[in-house]
Amino acid sequence: MRPDLAKITDQARMTAWGELSEDRNPLHVDPGYAANTRYGGTIAHGHMLVAWITEWLAGGESPITLSGTVLSSLRFRAPVHPGHRYVVRSTHAGVEMLDEEGNSVLTAELRKGAQEDGHGKSA
Amino acid sequence: MSRAAQLPPLRLADLHVGRRFGPDAVVVTPAMVAEYTRITGDDHRLYCDAEAAQSAGLVGPMVPFGFLAVLARRSYLGANRMLPGGVMAGQDITFGVPGVVGRPLTVSAEVVSMEVMPKRRAVVLDCRVQDEGGQIVGRVVIDARWPEDEQ
């Protein structure tokens, strides 16, 4: 079983991720704007959380081993805020990310699938 | 004003089932990978060490699989920006062959479904990232919540 992976982000990293990904949605990068939304503050980009999941999937081994892996039904269940600690861990079906209170903020199923060719067909 | 802020928004009126985006060429540079590792903390040597990559059977350092979701987003928003209120509800991600840092990748997408929801639409996009040989580096099916266009 893969070891748990703990992660904390901050606003500076989230803003930098916004530049890297070209996703400068103010909900992610503008605390003043985000404070007046239903989230009460900025939230992390979903694609940054996917990056955390792929790091956990590799589990310190070669990331090449992810080839052929399918991460399905990935759901963002609650917002991830800067300054808080989150833990990525395995579940019976795949993976989940928990906040400091143990609430699930992200879930996904995991399986080894067939490689696809460039036309979307299983090889 | 940033480049992204100057881009025209991609509105619901611009979308329909079957609409295709791309293919567009994207190169993930060593500088982008360095920034990726700084932000995420995922600093595996296969992302930056050419010798280690070649020892592992790769042509060169690999694009982190964690970058796939960013490339998938770029496949349909490369020339546009998302309107405030647009969010990602979920994804299905298939990891294919490793992409190579500094080498061209091709990104493309297709709208596969659109469903009406209160105040927004559920839009599903099938996004693909392929290497120079046409092999799938990753396939990301994005379930997005799109804000209704302002009247």
Side-chain angles (χ1 to χ4, degrees):
Chain A
M1 182 176 287
R2 296 176 180 83
D4 296 353
L5 176 68
K7 286 288 185 183
I8 300 175
T9 192
D10 56 36
Q11 188 57 55
R13 285 186 173 84
M14 285 163 47
T15 300
W17 185 269
E19 293 301 311
L20 180 64
S21 66
E22 299 186 355
D23 183 352
R24 302 176 182 89
N25 185 329
L27 190 55
H28 304 305
V29 301
D30 184 344
Y33 169 88
N36 295 313
T37 68
R38 64 190 175 102
Y39 299 106
T42 53
I43 63 174
H45 298 75
H47 30 78
M48 191 171 86
L49 307 184
V50 171
W52 290 358
I53 297 295
T54 60
E55 180 184 358
W56 172 83
L57 276 172
E61 303 297 322
S62 168
I64 298 173
T65 58
L66 268 61
S67 292
T69 298
V70 180
L71 198 59
S72 61
S73 303
L74 192 155
R75 291 288 175 271
F76 302 102
R77 300 189 177 282
V80 166
H81 294 284
H84 295 266
R85 183 177 185 270
Y86 296 87
V87 173
V88 184
R89 71 175 191 182
S90 61
T91 64
H92 177 69
V95 56
E96 68 179 349
M97 187 183 302
L98 304 175
D99 66 15
E100 290 160 328
E101 282 77 45
N103 301 309
S104 180
V105 298
L106 179 155
T107 58
E109 296 173 10
L110 195 58
R111 62 185 162 83
K112 269 288 185 184
Q115 292 277 3
E116 289 185 14
D117 65 18
H119 307 287
K121 299 170 185 170
S122 295
Chain B
M1 185 181 288
S2 72
R3 173 182 168 274
Q6 295 172 333
L7 295 173
L10 188 60
R11 301 179 186 280
L12 273 177
D14 303 320
L15 302 177
H16 59 83
V17 174
R19 174 168 178 186
R20 294 173 185 265
F21 298 86
D24 295 315
V26 176
V27 175
V28 178
T29 66
M32 292 163 73
V33 172
E35 185 68 346
Y36 173 93
T37 61
R38 185 186 72 80
I39 296 169
T40 65
D42 181 7
D43 58 355
H44 199 283
R45 62 182 182 154
L46 287 184
Y47 303 151
C48 59
D49 184 336
E51 197 171 309
Q54 285 163 6
S55 296
L58 302 174
V59 174
M62 67 176 283
V63 176
F65 277 125
F67 216 82
L68 271 181
V70 171
L71 295 172
R73 181 183 183 278
R74 197 165 294 183
S75 69
Y76 61 94
L77 280 176
N80 296 91
R81 62 181 167 85
M82 175 61 90
L83 288 163
V87 294
M88 230 175 359
Q91 299 185 343
D92 289 342
I93 305 173
T94 302
F95 302 103
V97 300
V100 178
V101 175
R103 302 282 282 266
L105 298 171
T106 300
V107 297
S108 60
E110 179 178 355
V111 179
V112 294
S113 77
M114 296 178 69
E115 293 181 18
V116 176
M117 299 179 70
K119 296 185 179 178
R120 49 179 70 177
R121 301 273 181 98
V123 179
V124 177
L125 296 121
D126 186 355
C127 310
R128 295 171 191 220
V129 180
Q130 292 169 270
D131 67 11
E132 292 168 287
Q135 294 192 94
I136 293 284
V137 174
R139 183 176 180 185
V140 184
V141 178
I142 294 178
D143 180 7
R145 298 292 176 265
W146 223 279
E148 292 287 352
D149 296 337
E150 292 180 1
Q151 300 300 313

